[in-house]
């Protein structure tokens, strides 16, 4: 019997490369480069459920509100260092928060299709 932890048997590297090509942000590309297959059955089932729900949402072919955390990370770092945020910076923060509210509402409307994803975004604090 083949060992399923063998990345070659799973073509895992090829799958990661394909996903990395589709990733929008640098952070996503970096995260993909470090991901490894799991032999933890509970974790695998959880990830499969998340993926199944995401596919259902994508099949709706509706606009899904999305804001990259990469756009805001440098602003948070800047504020943590005590630097002053410009009006443009504050507008970017406001837009990020607005899109997060829209995403929360979007997934709440589609709770029956994606209860797990909805639960994730409902845990976000709205500011």
């Amino acid at each position: 019997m083949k060992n399923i932890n063998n990345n070659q048997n799973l073509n895992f590297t090829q799958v990661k490369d394909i996903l990395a090509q589709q990733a929008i942000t640098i952070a996503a590309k970096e995260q993909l480069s470090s991901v490894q297959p799991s032999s933890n059955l509970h974790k695998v089932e959880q990830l499969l459920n998340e993926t199944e729900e995401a596919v259902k949402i994508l099949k709706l072919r509706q606009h899904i509100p999305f804001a990259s955390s990469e756009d805001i990370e440098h602003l948070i770092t800047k504020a943590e260092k005590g630097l002053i945020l410009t009006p443009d910076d504050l507008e970017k923060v406001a837009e990020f928060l607005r899109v997060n509210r829209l995403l929360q509402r979007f997934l709440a409307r589609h709770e029956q299709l994606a209860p797990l994803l909805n639960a994730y975004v409902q845990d976000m604090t709205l500011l």
Side-chain angles (χ1 to χ4, degrees):
M1 185 169 168
K2 291 183 180 179
N3 179 358
I4 65 165
N5 289 326
N6 183 334
N7 288 349
Q8 288 181 333
N9 291 343
L10 296 173
N11 292 331
F12 194 75
T13 303
Q14 292 86 343
V15 172
K16 282 186 358 179
D17 290 344
I18 292 168
L19 288 173
Q21 290 173 4
Q22 300 298 316
I24 296 171
T25 67
I26 293 169
K29 291 178 189 289
E30 289 173 355
Q31 187 175 10
L32 281 166
S33 69
S34 65
V35 73
Q36 292 297 317
S38 176
S39 59
N40 178 324
L41 183 60
H42 178 71
K43 181 178 180 182
V44 171
E45 288 174 343
Q46 177 87 9
L47 292 170
L48 286 171
N49 288 337
E50 291 172 7
T51 302
E52 183 179 321
E53 288 185 10
V55 168
K56 287 178 185 177
I57 292 293
L58 291 172
K59 284 183 178 180
L60 293 174
R61 296 197 181 273
Q62 295 181 2
H63 172 73
I64 302 167
F66 176 77
S68 169
S69 61
E70 192 171 85
D71 296 339
I72 195 105
E73 277 183 45
H74 75 281
L75 298 176
I76 293 170
T77 302
K78 191 175 171 181
E80 286 174 340
K81 290 179 180 178
L83 301 173
I84 296 173
L85 297 179
T86 66
D88 186 51
D89 293 340
L90 294 173
E91 285 181 10
K92 289 176 183 175
V93 171
E95 178 64 11
F96 179 80
L97 296 174
R98 184 186 74 78
V99 172
N100 283 332
R101 281 192 308 273
L102 292 173
L103 179 61
Q104 200 173 51
R105 289 184 198 139
F106 176 87
L107 286 172
R109 284 194 313 270
H110 298 91
E111 182 178 11
Q112 289 192 340
L113 280 179
L116 186 59
L117 298 179
N118 180 55
Y120 292 158
V121 298
Q122 296 308 319
D123 281 345
M124 293 186 329
T125 301
L126 291 180
L127 304 170

